[in-house]
Amino acid sequence: MSTHAARLGALRSELAARGLTGFVVPLTDEHMSEYVGGYAQRLAWLTGFEGSAGTAVVLSAEAAIFVDGRYTLQVREQVSADHWAYVGVPQTSVADWLRAHAPAGARIGYDPWLHTPGWVRDAGAALAAKGAELVPVAGNPVDAVWADRPAPSPAPLAPHSAERAGLGAAEKRAELAEWLVARQADALVLTALDSIAWAFNLRGADIAHTPVGLAYALVRADGTADLFVAPEKITDAVRAHLGNAVRLHPRADFATALGTLKGQRVAVDPERAVAAIFDALEAGGATVLAERDPVVLAKACKNPVEIAGHRAASVRDGAAVARFLRWVEATAPQGGLTELDCAAKLLEFRQAGGVLRDTSFDTISATGAHGAIPHYRVDAASNARLEPGQLYLVDSGGQYEDGTTDITRVIPVTEPTPEQRDRFTRVLKGHIALATAIFPPGTNGGQLDAFARRPLWEVGLDYAHGTGHGVGAYLSVHEGPQRIATPNYPGGGPAEPLRPGMIVSNEPGYYQAGDFGIRIENLILVEERATEGGTMLGFETLTFCPIERRLIEPALLTPAERAWVDAYHARVLAVLGPLFDADELAWLNSKCAPLDVG
């Protein structure tokens, strides 16, 4: 019996011992994080799936794993079809599946520290329609059978200076206090780890690639706060940074503290706080105000200091990626170069600057058919050689104290085919359409998403992911609420107007299963644009690195699109050129020369 089959069997035995018919296993933690610490990797431990979004449902006689279009291929490589059914979302929700598959009288367990109140409501209603029941569990049954489950990270927190943040932590708490007073509320519960990191100007190392620490917070209407964090994480520097207005408590005391707010009006985000928090507040006699976490929008709209920091990080990062592309171009045709070799070499180039804190996610180093898996993650088992005729796709980013980066480039190992050039150029046309968009205030990213898809749609093609996600300031590489996506695509959701200071990715793609993948990604900044008719919004491109000329078919570009490519490359040359030696500069000049239109 395989390891994962044995784990599934052990979980079923544990569920039976508890009188449960089934259990829901999401890929998240008690903070509703996208990326989670090792202690919370329950879905990966149970199924083998290593993507960043997914859910499993285990019943007595069947089991299903739910993933979106980004992971359609990956889930089939990592999760055994002998034991798991593959279900696509949003086409079929967990609630829909439970309604269809849970038997009458079933008792389906869930961990109230891992689901939002809305999910509990919907899943409970679906089961009730079948005469079944959704049952909260006091201890997660996966944890009960996970014998070598790692402990949460003990890494200490560190202050993030106002010189980097652009605003002091006390000033941020004062703004949150004003927000509370305006709503006649007494306290705000913060559970999202990046919100806490931003509000208190703290950074941590508890989650790979995301500089946050495990904590909860209560911000009060008088500007004081209670921070719940493991005591070993608090250094003298952190204590001094927080000052007397922030009261420190063990993280384990958070649930108890929620029960002491009787008679108080407490604001909680129903999308980011788990059901257990709402249950504890209501049981303790607090009045719960369902409000979006006010930090979400505040941290999304970067201040001038954060924008300047990101620009500096982008130059540093673009130079590292350009040097890496030059190395791949020279090395791959010699043969023997693998995806893991490339990922390691790219990290070397980033580290050479001496200020890299971490990568911003696991590098997607994908050649040939692996490039058609949008969130492919190379390991020793999947590691492939770069072969002639293939396209090599690399999607990567860096965490620097002044900014978080994310960039994707594609290069041919040898000469590209006409089909590869056509598809690449259509993706580029979509990228340019979004980069040059001008739109009125109040426009949301979903309204712009089609700009990037039209060149592919014109020939009956598309891609199964959103076009852009928000990016934090030395925080999460995937940050809301802004996005360039409609609800039809992964990454879509509530329509959030784009505002000046927001940073989003611009990353249309094309994926030909079993053959190649293409994605062109830059980060772009929302900014105001003066026009004849009044103030509009547009984008400033922040990422500087050559776009592979050998993959561009100039005849497919309009004159305006060719002008954009030439202007972008001229800017790349001006920004990166001073950082390069003579040999590097000769290569960069060749990559940034104006397009030859024949």
Side-chain angles (χ1 to χ4, degrees):
M1 181 182 293
S2 71
T3 298
H4 292 105
R7 292 172 180 175
L8 180 59
L11 178 59
R12 282 186 167 133
S13 296
E14 177 69 19
L15 296 178
R18 297 190 186 199
L20 296 172
T21 314
F23 188 69
V24 181
V25 185
L27 197 169
T28 189
D29 60 12
E30 58 273 31
H31 304 275
M32 297 305 297
S33 306
E34 176 183 14
Y35 298 109
V36 301
Y39 78 96
Q41 293 278 1
R42 299 177 180 92
L43 185 65
W45 178 85
L46 179 65
T47 68
F49 178 65
E50 295 180 344
S52 62
T55 301
V57 177
V58 176
L59 299 179
S60 301
E62 61 180 322
I65 183 165
F66 299 74
V67 298
D68 63 48
R70 296 170 294 177
Y71 302 105
T72 301
L73 299 178
Q74 181 176 340
V75 73
R76 285 162 172 77
E77 288 194 353
Q78 296 178 333
V79 180
S80 171
D82 294 338
H83 305 288
W84 297 90
Y86 310 124
V87 183
V89 296
Q91 297 91 334
T92 303
S93 69
V94 171
D96 291 336
W97 192 89
L98 284 170
R99 184 185 295 111
H101 291 258
R107 300 179 75 249
I108 307 299
Y110 74 99
D111 186 337
W113 284 96
L114 299 179
H115 297 277
T116 64
W119 183 91
V120 173
R121 180 185 62 249
D122 293 346
L127 286 167
K130 287 289 295 285
E133 181 183 5
L134 188 66
V135 181
V137 299
N140 195 300
V142 175
D143 299 349
V145 298
W146 186 356
D148 56 351
R149 179 178 172 233
S153 162
L157 295 171
H160 185 59
S161 70
E163 288 73 24
R164 294 285 195 199
L167 199 63
E171 296 172 275
K172 292 179 177 180
R173 290 198 308 275
E175 291 182 356
L176 294 176
E178 291 179 6
W179 182 90
L180 286 167
V181 169
R183 287 158 180 77
Q184 297 181 325
D186 300 292
L188 165 68
V189 176
L190 293 180
T191 62
L193 298 181
D194 57 346
S195 288
I196 295 168
W198 185 91
F200 291 85
N201 279 355
L202 292 170
R203 296 297 186 267
D206 288 350
I207 295 179
H209 313 305
T210 307
V212 296
L214 295 172
Y216 295 101
L218 285 171
V219 179
R220 311 284 182 161
D222 63 1
T224 66
D226 295 270
L227 185 64
F228 298 82
V229 60
E232 62 267 23
K233 295 182 173 297
I234 302 298
T235 64
D236 290 343
V238 168
R239 198 179 302 275
H241 165 77
L242 293 173
N244 295 332
V246 178
R247 295 170 290 272
L248 296 170
H249 312 270
R251 182 167 175 263
D253 291 351
F254 176 65
T256 301
L258 295 175
T260 67
L261 301 175
K262 183 176 182 179
Q264 297 189 36
R265 290 166 55 83
V266 182
V268 194
D269 189 332
E271 292 185 10
R272 293 168 179 83
V274 297
I277 291 173
F278 286 80
D279 294 343
L281 287 168
E282 291 168 358
T287 298
V288 178
L289 308 178
E291 295 271 2
R292 184 169 76 176
D293 172 357
V295 173
V296 168
L297 188 57
K299 68 180 170 59
C301 298
K302 309 301 184 285
N303 62 49
V305 171
E306 291 171 322
I307 292 170
H310 186 93
R311 289 192 178 111
S314 293
V315 172
R316 189 185 310 123
D317 200 67
V321 176
R323 289 185 171 108
F324 166 73
L325 295 176
R326 175 175 177 260
W327 175 83
V328 174
E329 184 178 293
T331 308
Q334 300 173 23
L337 190 63
T338 71
E339 294 168 332
L340 283 175
D341 294 335
C342 290
K345 192 66 176 182
L346 177 53
L347 180 60
E348 285 183 24
F349 279 114
R350 281 198 166 100
Q351 290 174 328
V355 294
L356 182 74
R357 305 295 296 187
D358 195 357
T359 54
S360 56
F361 54 96
D362 288 317
T363 294
I364 300 172
S365 177
T367 193
H370 287 162
I373 304 172
H375 280 207
Y376 170 72
R377 181 178 177 182
V378 61
D379 57 25
S382 69
N383 189 27
R385 292 188 177 186
L386 280 65
E387 302 287 357
Q390 292 182 341
L391 297 185
Y392 171 67
L393 181 153
V394 58
D395 184 347
S396 67
Q399 289 284 10
Y400 306 92
E401 289 188 9
D402 50 0
T404 299
T405 66
D406 188 358
I407 175 176
T408 307
R409 290 295 185 266
V410 179
I411 62 173
V413 177
T414 49
E415 284 303 307
T417 66
E419 180 186 37
Q420 290 169 343
R421 287 168 59 89
D422 177 275
R423 301 301 188 252
F424 184 89
T425 307
R426 291 183 182 279
V427 172
L428 177 59
K429 287 168 72 72
H431 181 97
I432 295 168
L434 183 57
T436 57
I438 303 294
F439 48 95
T443 300
N444 65 66
Q447 293 170 289
L448 302 180
D449 184 73
F451 286 36
R453 297 179 189 272
R454 178 176 173 176
L456 289 167
W457 284 352
E458 288 174 345
V459 290
L461 304 174
D462 202 357
Y463 49 95
H465 59 74
T467 302
H469 56 83
V471 176
Y474 187 38
L475 276 174
S476 301
V477 73
H478 290 167
E479 178 183 85
Q482 72 275 27
R483 56 183 61 84
I484 310 292
T486 69
N488 299 2
Y489 296 95
E496 181 69 34
L498 295 171
R499 295 173 173 85
M502 288 181 168
I503 295 175
V504 293
S505 64
N506 174 3
E507 50 178 314
Y510 173 73
Y511 308 94
Q512 190 153 299
D515 196 355
F516 62 85
I518 294 166
R519 189 163 59 253
I520 303 171
E521 178 183 18
N522 287 339
L523 298 187
I524 52 180
L525 171 71
V526 182
E527 61 178 3
E528 291 186 343
R529 294 286 177 85
T531 70
E532 181 180 348
T535 299
M536 301 285 276
L537 298 177
F539 296 114
E540 172 194 342
T541 294
L542 298 170
T543 305
F544 293 104
C545 186
I547 297 170
E548 180 52 55
R549 291 165 48 86
R550 288 176 294 166
L551 285 167
I552 300 174
E553 179 52 68
L556 285 177
L557 299 177
T558 67
E561 290 167 340
R562 291 195 296 270
W564 184 93
V565 173
D566 289 345
Y568 175 73
H569 278 149
R571 182 65 177 149
V572 170
L573 185 59
V575 169
L576 302 187
L579 305 178
F580 283 8
D581 63 27
D583 289 342
E584 293 170 335
L585 187 57
W587 174 86
L588 188 64
N589 270 301
S590 70
K591 293 297 177 182
C592 294
L595 291 175
D596 180 4
V597 296

